[in-house]
PDB file of all heavy atoms in Angstrom:
ATOM      1  N   VAL I 977      78.936 165.690 -30.770  1.00 92.00           N
ATOM      2  CA  VAL I 977      80.019 165.226 -31.667  1.00 92.00           C
ATOM      3  C   VAL I 977      79.436 164.455 -32.823  1.00 92.00           C
ATOM      4  O   VAL I 977      79.718 164.719 -34.006  1.00 92.00           O
ATOM      5  CB  VAL I 977      81.150 164.416 -31.019  1.00 92.00           C
ATOM      6  CG1 VAL I 977      82.059 163.858 -32.101  1.00 92.00           C
ATOM      7  CG2 VAL I 977      81.929 165.241 -30.065  1.00 92.00           C
ATOM      8  N   THR I1008      66.336 148.775 -48.441  1.00 54.00           N
ATOM      9  CA  THR I1008      66.107 147.537 -47.890  1.00 54.00           C
ATOM     10  C   THR I1008      65.908 147.439 -46.382  1.00 54.00           C
ATOM     11  O   THR I1008      65.623 146.431 -45.784  1.00 54.00           O
ATOM     12  CB  THR I1008      67.095 146.419 -48.395  1.00 54.00           C
ATOM     13  OG1 THR I1008      68.433 146.846 -47.829  1.00 54.00           O
ATOM     14  CG2 THR I1008      67.267 146.363 -49.806  1.00 54.00           C
ATOM     15  N   GLY I1148      90.329 157.567   3.329  1.00 93.00           N
ATOM     16  CA  GLY I1148      89.326 158.518   3.057  1.00 93.00           C
ATOM     17  C   GLY I1148      87.821 158.065   3.537  1.00 93.00           C
ATOM     18  O   GLY I1148      86.946 158.776   3.448  1.00 93.00           O
ATOM     19  N   CYS I1170      77.750 150.989  -4.142  1.00 96.00           N
ATOM     20  CA  CYS I1170      78.621 150.004  -3.634  1.00 96.00           C
ATOM     21  C   CYS I1170      79.193 150.329  -2.226  1.00 96.00           C
ATOM     22  O   CYS I1170      78.673 150.323  -1.251  1.00 96.00           O
ATOM     23  CB  CYS I1170      79.719 149.698  -4.640  1.00 96.00           C
ATOM     24  SG  CYS I1170      80.614 148.067  -4.430  1.00 96.00           S
TER      25      CYS I1170
END
Side-chain angles (χ1 to χ4, degrees):
V977 173
T1008 59
C1170 197

